[in-house]
């Protein structure tokens, strides 16, 4: 209803504003047109005034009343302006008018033109009038008679000036002629007379000219032209006004018609409105009497129509439901009071879903809801109360769910036994799906174990209306058999007639199986050879099996009720039992060997397993002990131990047996005063074979090596596999050292011969270290250590040779051990210090980098050479922590120097390959850089060539990790190793350091010089930076700079020095550049 | 009460107006300043007036021939244009031109705006054109900004002339002793000058040289009472033909705009051809050919004295 009102209002407004617009347009248009007319009229009026003013001024000029012409200038300027304005008036689009105006302007231009002449002519005439009496007076002095005549002439001339009569002009001309002919009284008189006459002549001429101009001027009919213009203008204006009036009448009519239409529209709308109102009330009544709740919302979500039921359905909306209420307001009031479900029972989201769905309100009532769009975009909502049917449905569903979720199979058949329903449990148990089972006879489950009589009995019971109980041995769909206990009873209708049978069945197969299992367990319990004893939570024996009796001698009745301690042998202490029970209580079991005592008092070893059986609360309820007598087994162990002394792969004595043998041999040698020789053999290249060809090949190789070594010695000598690829030969009763050396050489020779493994030819080598008892050492461990040391010496001598252990070796070993000890202490005692040596750019005399060098200030030995303690630190692994300490210290120092103003300084720190093995990672370096705030490119890591040569792939990976941080990598001692171009290319190296050994003899040594030149060229080609170390003289420096190596390091520039000294040196360097 | 007040104010206004406006009733009237000028427009005109880019080779500005400090002319009989071209006519002063009824000797320009375009395009003066000038000025951001601030369409030929004309309207030499005398000030003119003025009137010079500008509001024939050109000698040049050059009518030959005598005293030589080197000569020649009279030397001296009293003041004018 409101909508209709709104529409009618809108339409009438539209019509009304249309009318107003028409009127406004008309007025505007009219006003605009009249403006131009008014303007033109106004200008024409001014034009007429100016024209008149011009005429007036012309008259004033010719009457010599105007003494100056400025007013005329103003008038003509004004006319020019008017001309522009009038010519630009749009009304001049009338061609006739434009022509008339043009004619007027032509006339006006001519007038102005003549005016100009008049101005000049009038000036001339006026000057003449003024001058003639003066000139005449000159005549008076020379010729009084002529003067009199002249006065008369002038008189008539002035009269003529006043009254332009023809008689006058004739008189003047005759008088003039007379005067001209007059003979002068003197030549002077003639001259004066002629001059006066010339002026009179001129004046007369000018006067005539002026008169003519005036006539010409006045003859120009500008006024007449103006009248034409005016008349035309007026005519145009009248026509225009007439047109306007006509237009106004038409437009007024249009407006009237529009207004009429408007009135009509409003009337018809009112009528329609009444109709609608009536229909509305009918509809309202109809809606009000609906049993359903009803609400209609318009497109803007406003409530248009609803019935009382709607309010009853949603009681909380009582104060909110009124015509015009907004749907969203209602929804917000409703909040969570309503839960929407689809007809299928799934949750429905969205505030007001379109279509049918179910609503459950907070009171528990159920509504069938239906929302649908109206044609105009509104929503119509219908709700019917289905709470009762919903309740019934819920009850049914509950019962249904009982069936569905029942742990027992349920089957319903009709009286003919045709299956009408089976529940999911049935499906699960039988393997038949509901679809397969329904319509079938229960016979499909039959396994055939029941007799016909039994079935008949069952049917009779059922048909008699009684319940039947029994067991079925049924067959599943897959053919397997299962046990069911069933209860079948008839269902009756209201009349008491049997309509269905319902069978409730339980699968008892598992139960049956469990019974079988128990039976079997009991048998095992009775018959097993292992003794079983079960104790209760208080650890009193509950039960024992016959084997228990057999092993222990105790009958069950003797054991039951007693503690297991009756079996205690007394061989185990209290702690043993405590740990046993700890294990049982903590882990739930214990397994191990235990000595127990039989009834007869004899002690026997048994292998015992105890398991705790936890109750429902997790605490042990029972303990089961199973044990077997292992007296015999014990006896076998000795054999096994023996076997453990031999290497399984080669069959040679292993390390422990060797140790035994060596000990025995030392004993014998002492007694017999023999000498012993111990040969330590280490295979070279074995690792490579193992890594390259695999363990199978490696094992095969070791076997062959073992037999070759065995072939080199007497049977009385011992050949043992010491571990990995290490073998040891123990020679007894040695007298001749040459013979020992011979055996060593024989062993080496036999090993370096080719091995053929799986069709492959393989070469390996061996290094042998020899030590002699009692010359070198008197106990087994020392002998083995000496032999090992000698073997390393042999390796150091270039492999495939043997070395005897010597006293100096011993000395070194001791010293080394001492040094190692000292080094460990040195770290703690702060004896290590970082020294710094600068690298100088010789061409710029500027420090480019500083190398951090480790220095050990030993309290007794003084400064220990890094060449001595660094390898030691590498060997014993100390290099790991020392290396990290150096990196950290050097970076901190560099950071300090940066802060002190040496911002361009870089730092080089040495890196050992052992540091990789000891776990120095890029992460550590990153952390140090981060802590010290250094940018990575200021740090260079220096490593030896040998580092690059060893374990190439791992080394590359390792170095690439550092490189990725952005630090530079430098190769130290370049040229001493085997570095080749190919090697360098593989590594992310930035800088080469030419080893001092090449620099030493520069530039005198030709070989060194050419080598260094080669290195420089190579570095250039690889785009690597170069540093030469060990520069000690100016000659060396000059030579190096000459060949293109400008970064130099050495005593010539500066020795390594402490951080403090370096700081002083740097300051000096900065202040006195070039003083080095 | 209120009516009395109104009356009082009315009387006050009227009386002050009357006092300020009072001048002697003479054929010559005092010069007045144009109070309606837009100062920014005039300032732009000033820049343009002195801008050499208005000439083809950037050598010559308006001020080149119209030297403001000496009186608005270049003191030559014929001015020199670009590339040494010699003009055909004596350059008139730019002072007080707003009082002239037309511009140029032959009156071919009705307004100052129309006049300003003339020399720019004249091949023997600036020898340029608007297209050229606009492109040159358009490269000068400050010029572009000045124009944009004043005109919607920026730099155009028309706008250039509007600005120059505005500047020229400001070139009025006020407060000459003669004007002060006209306004009633006592003792500003000497006896000789007053005698000169009386002679100026009685000889009839005043017939043509009248109004605020002492001339400049009418045309006249040179040689009304004698053949000026025959006596002058030399060829008749196109410039000698005067307004004929505009109308092509035979009767307009030797018909010229009567020049203003306001700054005649400081702007020799005289006449359109610059044939009179001194003011005394000019007065004598004028008496002879325009009045048909020989003016005695002592009277010429008096008239010249009078003409000097017409010279007024302007901030740019430093005689």
């Amino acid at each position: 209803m409101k909508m209709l009102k709104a529409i009618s209002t809108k339409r009438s407004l539209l019509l009304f504003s249309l009318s107003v617009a028409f009127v406004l347009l008309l007025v505007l248009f009219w006003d605009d047109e009249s403006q131009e007319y008014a303007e033109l009229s106004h200008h024409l009026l001014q034009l007429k005034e100016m024209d008149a003013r011009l005429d007036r001024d012309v008259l004033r000029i010719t009457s010599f009343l105007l003494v100056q012409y400025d007013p005329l200038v103003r008038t003509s300027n004004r006319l020019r302006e008017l001309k522009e304005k009038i010519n630009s008036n749009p009304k001049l689009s009338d061609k006739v008018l434009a022509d008339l105006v043009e004619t007027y302007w032509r006339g006006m231009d001519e007038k102005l033109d003549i005016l100009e002449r008049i101005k000049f002519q009038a000036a001339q005439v006026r000057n003449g009038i003024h001058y003639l009496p003066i000139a005449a007076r000159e005549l008076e002095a020379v010729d009084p008679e002529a003067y009199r005549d002249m006065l008369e002439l002038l008189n008539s001339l002035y009269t003529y000036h006043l009254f332009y009569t023809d008689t006058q002009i004739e008189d003047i001309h005759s008088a003039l002629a007379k005067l001209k002919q007059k003979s002068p009284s003197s030549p002077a008189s003639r001259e004066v007379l002629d001059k006066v006459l010339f002026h009179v002549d001129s004046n007369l001429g000018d006067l005539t000219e002026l008169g003519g101009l005036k006539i010409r001027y006045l003859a120009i009919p500008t006024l007449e032209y103006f009248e034409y213009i005016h008349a035309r203008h007026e005519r145009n204006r009248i026509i225009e006004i007439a047109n306007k009036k006509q237009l106004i009448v038409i437009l007024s009519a249009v407006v009237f018609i529009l207004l009429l239409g408007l009135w009509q529209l409003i009337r018809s709308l009112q009528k329609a409105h009444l109709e609608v109102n009536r229909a509305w009330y009918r509809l309202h009544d109809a809606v009000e009497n609906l049993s359903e709740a009803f609400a209609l919302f318009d497109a803007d979500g406003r409530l248009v129509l609803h019935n009382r039921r709607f309010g009853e359905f949603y009681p909380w909306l009582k104060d909110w439901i009124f015509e015009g209420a907004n749907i969203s307001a209602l929804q917000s009031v409703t909040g969570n009071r309503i839960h929407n479900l689809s007809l299928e029972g799934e949750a429905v989201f969205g505030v007001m879903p379109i279509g049918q769905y179910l609503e459950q309100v907070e009171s528990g009532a159920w509504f069938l809801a239906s929302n649908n769009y109206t044609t105009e975009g509104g929503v119509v909502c219908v709700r019917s109360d289905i709470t009762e049917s919903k309740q019934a449905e819920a009850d049914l569903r509950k019962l249904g769910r009982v069936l569905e979720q029942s742990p027992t199979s349920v089957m319903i058949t009709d009286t003919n036994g045709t299956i009408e329903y089976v529940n999911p449990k049935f499906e699960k148990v039988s393997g038949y799906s509901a679809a397969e089972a329904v319509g079938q006879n229960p016979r499909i489950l039959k396994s055939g174990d029941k007799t016909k009589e039994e079935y008949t009995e069952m049917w009779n019971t059922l048909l008699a209306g009684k319940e039947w109980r029994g067991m079925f041995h049924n067959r599943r769909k897959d053919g397997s058999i299962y046990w069911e206990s069933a209860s079948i009873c008839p269902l009756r209708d209201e009349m008491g007639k049997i309509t269905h049978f319902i069978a409730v069945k339980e699968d008892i197969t598992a139960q049956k199986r469990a019974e079988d299992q128990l039976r079997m367990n009991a048998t095992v319990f009775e018959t097993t050879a292992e003794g079983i004893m079960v104790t209760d939570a208080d650890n009193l024996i509950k039960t024992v099996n016959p084997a228990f009796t057999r092993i222990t001698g105790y009958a069950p009745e003797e054991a039951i009720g007693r503690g297991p301690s009756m079996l205690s042998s007394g061989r185990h202490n209290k702690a043993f039992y405590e740990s046993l029970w700890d294990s049982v209580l903590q882990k739930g079991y214990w397994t191990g060997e235990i000595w127990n005592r039989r009834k007869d008092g004899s002690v026997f070893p048994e292998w015992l397993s105890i398991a705790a059986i936890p109750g429902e609360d997790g605490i042990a309820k029972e303990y089961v002990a199973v044990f077997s007598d292992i007296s015999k087994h014990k006896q076998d162990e000795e054999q096994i131990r023996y076997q453990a002394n031999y290497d399984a792969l080669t069959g040679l004595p292993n390390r422990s047996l060797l140790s035994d043998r060596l000990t025995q041999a030392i004993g014998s040698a002492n007694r017999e005063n023999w000498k012993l020789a111990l040969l330590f053999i280490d295979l070279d290249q074995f690792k490579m074979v193992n890594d390259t060809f695999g363990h199978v090949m490696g094992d095969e190789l070791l076997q062959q090596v073992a037999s070759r070594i065995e072939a080199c010695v007497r049977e009385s000598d011992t050949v043992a596999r010491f571990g990995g690829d290490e073998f040891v030969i123990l020679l007894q009763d040695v007298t001749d050292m040459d013979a020992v050396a011979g055996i060593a050489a024989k062993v080496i020779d036999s090993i370096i011969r080719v091995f053929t493994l799986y069709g492959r030819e393989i070469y390996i080598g061996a290094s042998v270290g020899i030590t002699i008892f009692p010359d070198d050492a008197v106990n087994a461990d020392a002998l083995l250590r000496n032999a090992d040391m000698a073997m390393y010496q042999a390796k150091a001598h270039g492999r495939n040779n043997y070395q005897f252990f010597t006293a100096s070796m011993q000395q070194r070993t001791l010293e080394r051990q001492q040094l190692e000890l000292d080094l460990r202490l040195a770290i703690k005692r702060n004896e290590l210090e970082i020294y710094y040596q600068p690298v100088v750019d010789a061409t710029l005399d500027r420090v480019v980098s500083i190398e951090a060098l480790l220095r050990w200030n030993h309290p007794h030995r003084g400064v220990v050479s890094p060449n001595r303690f660094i390898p030691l630190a590498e060997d014993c692994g100390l290099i790991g922590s020392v290396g990290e300490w150096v990196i950290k210290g050097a970076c901190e120092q560099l950071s300090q120097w940066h802060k002190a103003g040496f911002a361009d300084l870089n730092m080089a720190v040495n890196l050992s390959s052992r540091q990789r093995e000891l776990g120095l990672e890029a992460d550590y370096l990153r952390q140090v850089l981060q802590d010290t705030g250094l940018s990575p490119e200021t740090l260079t890591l220096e490593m030896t060539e040998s580092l690059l040569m060893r374990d190439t792939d791992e080394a590359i990976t390792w170095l690439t990790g550092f490189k990725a941080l952005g630090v530079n990598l430098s190769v130290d001692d370049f040229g001493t190793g085997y570095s080749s171009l190919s090697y360098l290319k593989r590594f992310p190296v930035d800088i080469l350091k030419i080893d001092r050994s090449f620099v030493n003899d520069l530039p005198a040594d030709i070989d060194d010089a050419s080598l260094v030149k080669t290195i420089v060229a190579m570095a250039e080609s690889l785009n690597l930076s170069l540093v030469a170390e060990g520069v000690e003289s100016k000659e060396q420096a000059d030579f190096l700079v000459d060949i293109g190596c400008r970064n130099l390091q050495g005593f010539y520039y500066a020795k390594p020095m402490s951080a403090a000294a370096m700081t002083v040196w740097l300051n000096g360097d900065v202040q006195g550049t070039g003083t080095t | 009460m209120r009516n009395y007040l109104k009356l009082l104010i009315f009387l006050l206004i009227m009386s002050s107006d009357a006092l300020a406006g009072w001048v002697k009733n003479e054929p010559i009237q005092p010069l007045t300043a144009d109070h309606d000028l837009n100062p920014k427009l005039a300032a732009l005109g000033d820049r343009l007036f002195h801008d050499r880019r208005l000439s083809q080779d950037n050598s010559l500005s308006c001020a080149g021939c119209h030297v403001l400090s000496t009186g608005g002319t270049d003191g030559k009989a014929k001015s020199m244009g670009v590339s040494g071209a010699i003009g055909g006519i004596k350059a008139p002063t730019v002072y007080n031109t707003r009082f002239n009824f037309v511009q140029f000797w032959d009156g071919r320009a009705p307004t100052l705006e129309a006049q300003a375009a003339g020399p720019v395009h004249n091949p023997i003066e600036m020898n340029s054109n608007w297209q050229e000038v606009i492109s040159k000025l358009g490269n000068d951001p400050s010029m572009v900004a000045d124009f944009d601030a004043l005109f919607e369409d920026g730099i155009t030929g028309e706008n250039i002339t509007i600005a120059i004309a505005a500047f020229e309207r400001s070139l009025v030499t006020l407060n000459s002793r003669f004007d002060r005398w006209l306004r009633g000030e006592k003792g500003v003119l000497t006896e000789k000058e007053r005698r000169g003025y009386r002679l100026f009137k009685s000889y009839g010079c005043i017939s043509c040289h009248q109004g605020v500008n002492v001339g400049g509001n009418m045309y006249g024939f040179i040689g009304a009472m004698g053949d000026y050109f025959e006596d002058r000698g030399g060829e008749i040049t196109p410039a000698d033909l005067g307004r004929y050059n505009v109308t092509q009518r035979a009767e307009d030959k030797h018909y010229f705009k009567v020049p203003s005598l306001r700054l005649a005293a400081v702007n020799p030589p005289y006449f359109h051809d610059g044939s009179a080197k001194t003011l005394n000569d000019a007065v004598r020649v004028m008496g002879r050919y325009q009045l048909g009279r020989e003016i005695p030397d002592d009277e010429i001296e008096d008239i010249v004295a009078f003409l000097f009293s017409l010279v007024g003041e302007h901030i740019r004018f430093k005689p």
Side-chain angles (χ1 to χ4, degrees), chain A residues 516-532 545-547 550 626:
Chain A
D516 290 349
Q517 186 70 40
L518 277 176
R519 256 197 304 280
M520 194 178 75
N521 286 352
T523 313
V524 169
F525 185 79
E526 294 298 323
T527 57
T528 182
E530 288 175 312
I532 299 172
N545 70 346
R550 208 157 48 241
V626 179

Side-chain angles (χ1 to χ4, degrees), chain B residues 44 47-48 51 53-54 58 129-148 153-157 160:
Chain B
L44 176 59
R47 279 185 74 184
L48 291 165
D51 199 321
R53 286 172 293 192
L54 264 59
N58 302 330
N129 56 64
W130 286 138
Q131 201 185 336
E132 203 173 275
V133 172
I134 290 164
S135 89
K136 281 194 266 184
L137 297 185
N139 288 331
D140 179 347
S142 72
M143 204 50 106
V144 172
D146 279 3
F147 270 94
D148 287 350
D153 47 356
I155 304 179
T156 67
I160 292 171

Side-chain angles (χ1 to χ4, degrees), chain A residues 222-477:
Chain A
T222 50
L223 202 62
E224 201 178 316
Y225 296 153
F226 182 84
E227 287 309 322
Y228 291 149
I229 293 172
H230 190 252
R232 181 73 191 179
H233 172 62
E234 281 304 311
R235 180 185 153 276
N236 284 355
R237 193 167 148 165
I238 286 160
I239 290 170
E240 189 102 353
I241 287 168
N243 286 345
K244 288 283 161 54
K245 274 183 183 157
Q246 217 170 333
L247 206 65
I248 285 196
V249 169
I250 291 167
L251 283 173
S252 303
V254 168
V255 170
F256 179 73
I257 290 164
L258 279 172
L259 289 172
L260 207 68
L262 184 62
W263 182 68
Q264 270 289 338
L265 182 72
I266 290 169
R267 249 181 55 139
S268 64
L269 278 173
Q270 255 170 353
K271 220 160 119 192
H273 188 206
L274 280 173
E275 288 281 326
V276 166
N277 265 356
R278 236 170 281 149
W280 179 257
Y281 288 120
R282 273 201 297 274
L283 177 64
H284 209 272
D285 278 354
V287 164
E288 196 57 48
N289 291 322
L290 282 174
S291 62
E292 284 85 6
F294 177 89
L296 173 67
F297 296 92
D298 67 11
D300 299 325
R302 281 190 299 264
L303 183 61
V304 177
L305 178 63
H306 70 283
N307 61 3
R308 192 173 32 79
R309 294 282 284 163
F310 193 75
E312 289 167 5
F313 271 37
Y314 302 116
W316 60 86
L317 292 177
K318 206 177 81 189
D319 296 333
W320 295 86
I321 302 176
F322 49 84
E323 208 164 287
N326 196 286
I327 192 165
S328 51
L330 298 183
Q331 280 159 356
S332 68
V333 170
T334 299
N336 285 329
R337 291 175 209 256
I338 297 180
H339 293 283
N340 294 345
L341 292 173
S342 74
L343 295 180
E344 288 74 34
E346 287 155 15
V348 173
F349 300 102
V351 182
M352 204 166 185
I354 295 305
Q356 276 205 329
Y357 61 97
L358 298 175
E359 277 185 353
Q360 187 177 25
V361 297
E362 56 180 359
S363 64
W366 283 91
F367 301 142
L368 177 64
S370 165
N371 298 326
N372 287 304
Y373 287 122
T374 63
T375 46
E376 58 180 24
V379 179
V380 60
C381 310
V382 180
R383 305 283 183 271
S384 37
D385 191 340
I386 53 161
T387 310
E388 278 178 28
S389 59
K390 202 68 197 168
Q391 195 61 51
E393 187 189 314
D395 289 349
L396 267 179
R397 191 172 298 135
K398 212 183 292 167
L399 290 174
R401 215 171 288 141
V402 169
L403 280 179
E404 295 290 320
Q405 292 171 8
S406 163
T408 52
S409 296
V410 177
M411 177 171 72
I412 299 173
T413 65
D414 61 13
T415 46
N416 295 323
T418 307
I419 298 172
E420 288 192 348
Y421 171 83
V422 296
N423 75 347
K425 183 66 180 179
F426 174 92
E427 291 178 307
K428 205 172 155 198
V429 170
S430 71
Y432 288 100
S433 72
E436 287 166 335
V438 170
Q440 298 281 339
N441 191 285
R443 276 196 293 273
I444 52 168
L445 302 172
K446 246 170 135 179
S447 65
D449 74 319
K450 262 197 168 28
T451 59
K452 208 176 172 186
E453 288 72 34
E454 279 174 307
Y455 276 111
T456 312
E457 182 263 316
M458 181 186 89
W459 277 111
N460 287 340
T461 311
L462 290 175
L463 290 172
K466 292 181 197 153
E467 185 188 358
W468 181 88
R469 282 174 185 276
M471 272 221 269
F472 289 111
H473 198 205
N474 279 344
R475 189 187 295 278
R476 289 195 184 89
K477 191 184 173 188

Side-chain angles (χ1 to χ4, degrees), chain A residues 15 42 47 76 102 137 210 320-321 424 451 489 502 542 626 659 703 783 791 881 883 961 982 1048:
Chain A
L15 274 173
H42 178 64
L47 188 59
S76 53
E102 208 191 320
R137 204 161 297 131
L210 183 60
W320 295 86
I321 302 176
T451 59
C489 46
I502 178 160
K542 277 174 82 180
V626 179
S659 190
Q703 283 172 350
L783 282 171
M791 184 273 290
S881 52
S982 65
L1048 308 178

Side-chain angles (χ1 to χ4, degrees), chain A residues 714-735:
Chain A
R714 298 168 297 185
E715 274 186 32
S716 58
D717 300 327
T718 302
V719 176
R721 184 166 173 220
F722 196 69
D725 57 349
E726 291 165 338
F727 295 88
V728 171
I729 300 173
L730 172 63
L731 302 173
Q732 304 209 40
D733 189 14
V734 172
T735 50

Side-chain angles (χ1 to χ4, degrees), chain A residues 800-934:
Chain A
N800 290 337
N801 68 57
Y802 59 87
Q803 289 286 321
F804 279 94
F805 181 79
T806 60
S808 61
M809 246 182 242
Q810 173 95 19
Q811 184 56 39
R812 264 208 305 281
T813 310
L814 286 175
E815 210 178 285
R816 213 177 135 96
Q817 281 167 354
Q818 185 58 47
L819 205 61
E820 189 179 318
L821 204 66
D822 287 354
L823 188 56
R824 285 182 199 280
L825 292 171
I827 296 167
K828 288 181 190 148
R829 290 175 182 162
N830 281 329
E831 289 165 14
L832 295 179
E833 189 183 359
I834 305 171
Y835 263 47
Y836 297 94
Q837 189 178 26
V839 177
V840 175
D841 182 331
T843 57
L844 300 175
D845 268 332
R846 204 169 59 86
V847 177
V848 290
S849 174
I850 288 181
E851 184 177 1
L853 297 161
L854 189 58
R855 191 179 148 112
W856 182 8
N857 301 309
H858 195 282
H860 309 302
R861 297 168 199 252
V863 176
V864 181
S865 162
N867 291 339
R868 276 198 71 190
F869 73 84
I870 296 287
L872 186 66
E874 286 180 339
D875 277 358
C876 66
L878 279 171
I879 195 73
S881 52
V882 171
E884 289 180 1
W885 180 79
V886 172
I887 290 175
K888 195 155 177 275
C891 285
E892 279 166 1
Q893 183 58 55
L894 180 61
S895 174
Q896 279 180 29
W897 279 328
H898 280 183
K899 282 174 194 150
F902 306 107
D904 294 340
L905 275 190
N906 294 329
M907 180 67 74
V909 180
N910 289 288
L911 205 60
S912 157
S913 64
R914 278 283 283 158
Q915 283 176 279
R916 170 167 69 80
E917 293 153 25
L918 292 167
L920 176 69
E921 297 289 350
D923 280 344
Y924 175 79
L925 196 59
R926 181 189 295 120
Q927 189 58 47
V928 170
L929 288 171
Q930 200 178 314
D931 291 348
T932 51
L934 291 178

Side-chain angles (χ1 to χ4, degrees), chain A residues 170-230:
Chain A
E170 278 164 26
D171 288 352
I172 292 167
H173 279 298
S174 64
L176 194 58
K178 212 165 79 190
L179 263 175
K180 276 179 182 169
Q181 282 155 13
K182 189 175 162 58
S183 52
S185 55
S186 64
S189 156
R190 178 77 261 164
E191 196 188 323
V192 173
L193 185 63
D194 281 353
K195 189 175 86 180
V196 179
L197 284 175
F198 166 74
H199 277 281
V200 173
D201 237 3
S202 301
N203 191 249
L204 203 57
D206 289 336
L207 194 61
T208 316
E209 176 79 30
L210 183 60
L213 286 170
K214 193 169 139 189
I215 289 160
R216 267 178 65 199
Y217 179 90
L218 292 174
I220 297 166
T222 50
L223 202 62
E224 201 178 316
Y225 296 153
F226 182 84
E227 287 309 322
Y228 291 149
I229 293 172
H230 190 252

